[in-house]
Amino acid sequence: MNVPSVDSQTQESVDWPSDWLRATLGLLALRALAAGPSYGYAIISDLERNGFGTIKGGTLYPLLTRYESAGLLTTEWRAGDAGPGRKYFALTERGRAELARLSADWLRFTETSTRYLDHQRLTKETPA
Amino acid sequence: MMQRTSDKKWFDELVMELRMRQVHGSAIGDTIASARELLSDTGQDAEEAFGSARDYAAALDLPSAPRNDWIKKALWPSLLALLAFLVFNLAVVSWTRSEVLLVSPAQLALLATPVLLIALLPLYLEAVIRRIWVCVGISAICALAGLFSAFAAPTDRVDAWLALQPLPWLIGSTLAMVALSILNTIRSSRSRDDERITDPLSTAGKGNGPGAQVMIHVTNWLFPLLAAATLGLALVLR
């Protein structure tokens, strides 16, 4: 699997509050695997390219290990052409179901949050 | 891939931390290989990519053997073997001199010191592994207790608390040491596959070459070997 260069496709990258990333990284990592099996660096690059900043291995791998233990992911080692072998992570059926559930919940949550934070509504409710 | 010196230290610490958590060898091999894979891709230092080895091992929370499994499998047999070796040492000199085995309370208390320190090892094992001076201090206390016990040995039956025939104690302690060594040999041959760190891309294990095999056997038979040496020395010096 070729990893496109990060610079060429990087979206607006912001230093998101670490709490936000901590809360959503699981969902984002599952989404990064939705297209097919992938490995650590490719997942990190994908998230970086899409504007989530650089996720460290020390944050990503424990999460993937937990998901593997929970049956959301399977892993497979494939020999590398030149460098070391690669550990590929793939979604299981249960992982896909969890991704669908979390994505739907997240959309509902962001809609609710956006509605609540709506600027006009905020102005109307502000006491004179 | 050439490994940086700092990365080698980090990987050594990671293996130690995972061993302390009783993680199986295959899971340790998998963790090391996946960390190396990412470092090769990113060019980062291990500490930079994963944080401290101790925190990373804790965050992975890998499946492990029951926390206190080693107490049943390793500590109790070692403790019993040490006890048998100390009894053997007490009895062997008296037996080679055809004397009665005389024991004083001070001597028993000094001999009980290393046994007690090893029995309490689960309470301070982390400190022994992480701080070399704790390990040196404990070893020094054990050695001094053994040395002073020789001075506390009574020379006269009047000073002795116990007066025993040495031969039954000699035979009993020898049988106990040999039985425990056989038990340890069987256990270590059974658990070798769980403990071996394996590369996920090959079936070959790492760390149990011929040298390591010899070391395992020497460790399993350490007390009978030391007892044989003590017996030889006592026979020569009588």
Side-chain angles (χ1 to χ4, degrees):
Chain A
M1 178 175 173
N2 290 325
V3 181
S5 83
V6 171
D7 292 339
S8 62
Q9 297 181 36
T10 300
Q11 293 192 1
E12 186 184 0
S13 184
V14 183
D15 284 335
W16 302 109
S18 59
D19 285 353
W20 293 9
L21 278 174
R22 204 173 300 130
T24 55
L25 186 60
L27 169 60
L28 299 173
L30 291 177
R31 174 66 185 83
L33 294 168
S38 188
Y39 54 91
Y41 181 59
I43 296 170
I44 288 171
S45 301
D46 191 43
L47 295 175
E48 191 173 1
R49 222 172 24 251
N50 283 284
F52 295 105
T54 308
I55 308 299
K56 297 206 166 197
T59 308
L60 181 68
Y61 279 101
L63 182 76
L64 296 174
T65 305
R66 272 206 302 282
Y67 281 177
E68 187 187 354
S69 302
L72 304 182
L73 303 177
T74 55
T75 58
E76 183 195 4
W77 278 94
R78 298 181 192 170
D81 292 336
R86 293 201 182 285
K87 185 179 184 179
Y88 277 80
F89 299 88
L91 288 180
T92 59
E93 281 307 311
R94 199 169 157 195
R96 286 195 185 280
E98 184 67 0
L99 172 61
R101 187 185 71 78
L102 287 174
S103 298
D105 285 353
W106 177 252
L107 281 177
R108 280 196 306 118
F109 178 76
T110 51
E111 279 168 13
T112 306
S113 304
T114 307
R115 211 167 37 246
Y116 188 72
L117 294 169
D118 179 75
H119 181 69
Q120 287 185 344
R121 184 170 163 269
L122 194 68
T123 314
K124 279 181 203 165
E125 286 180 5
T126 307
Chain B
M1 186 179 91
M2 284 291 287
Q3 197 173 40
R4 298 182 184 103
T5 310
S6 59
D7 282 356
K8 188 186 178 311
K9 188 166 172 279
W10 188 89
F11 277 107
D12 288 345
E13 282 175 15
L14 182 64
V15 171
M16 188 193 79
E17 292 291 341
L18 293 172
R19 287 277 194 214
M20 279 172 66
R21 289 169 181 277
Q22 309 282 308
V23 173
H24 295 298
S26 59
I28 296 176
D30 189 281
T31 302
I32 291 169
S34 54
R36 285 207 174 114
E37 174 204 333
L38 188 71
L39 296 184
S40 167
D41 284 334
T42 62
Q44 290 175 304
D45 290 337
E47 184 95 26
E48 183 189 355
F50 296 100
S52 76
R54 189 174 178 180
D55 290 345
Y56 185 54
L60 283 171
D61 196 22
L62 291 166
S64 56
R67 195 97 174 125
N68 292 326
D69 210 28
W70 71 275
I71 295 177
K72 191 176 70 183
K73 284 184 177 169
L75 185 67
W76 290 123
S78 303
L79 196 64
L80 288 174
L82 175 66
L83 202 60
F85 178 67
L86 291 173
V87 171
F88 180 91
N89 273 347
L90 270 180
V92 72
V93 177
S94 309
W95 179 71
T96 51
R97 290 178 182 170
S98 305
E99 293 172 354
V100 175
L101 170 59
L102 302 174
V103 184
S104 71
Q107 190 183 13
L108 271 188
L110 285 164
L111 288 173
T113 304
V115 176
L116 194 67
L117 284 173
I118 291 178
L120 297 175
L121 193 59
L123 300 177
Y124 60 84
L125 179 68
E126 276 204 32
V128 170
I129 293 171
R130 294 189 198 288
R131 295 179 187 86
I132 187 70
W133 60 265
V134 176
C135 184
V136 172
I138 297 288
S139 305
I141 291 170
C142 290
L144 286 173
L147 190 69
F148 286 131
S149 74
F151 293 116
T155 50
D156 200 319
R157 192 181 272 256
V158 181
D159 302 327
W161 184 44
L162 292 170
L164 306 162
Q165 285 303 316
L167 189 60
W169 293 93
L170 200 68
I171 293 169
S173 59
T174 305
L175 289 176
M177 279 187 286
V178 170
L180 287 163
S181 293
I182 291 170
L183 189 73
N184 285 339
T185 305
I186 293 168
R187 271 196 178 144
S188 61
S189 65
R190 279 182 186 164
S191 63
R192 205 171 291 155
D193 286 341
D194 280 350
E195 289 168 6
R196 185 182 298 170
I197 296 175
T198 48
D199 182 340
L201 282 167
S202 75
T203 51
K206 179 192 166 190
N208 276 359
Q213 296 276 4
V214 171
M215 275 310 294
I216 290 169
H217 287 304
V218 168
T219 308
N220 286 336
W221 288 88
L222 182 66
F223 287 117
L225 289 172
L226 286 174
T230 310
L231 177 64
L233 199 66
L235 286 171
V236 169
L237 296 177
R238 72 174 166 175

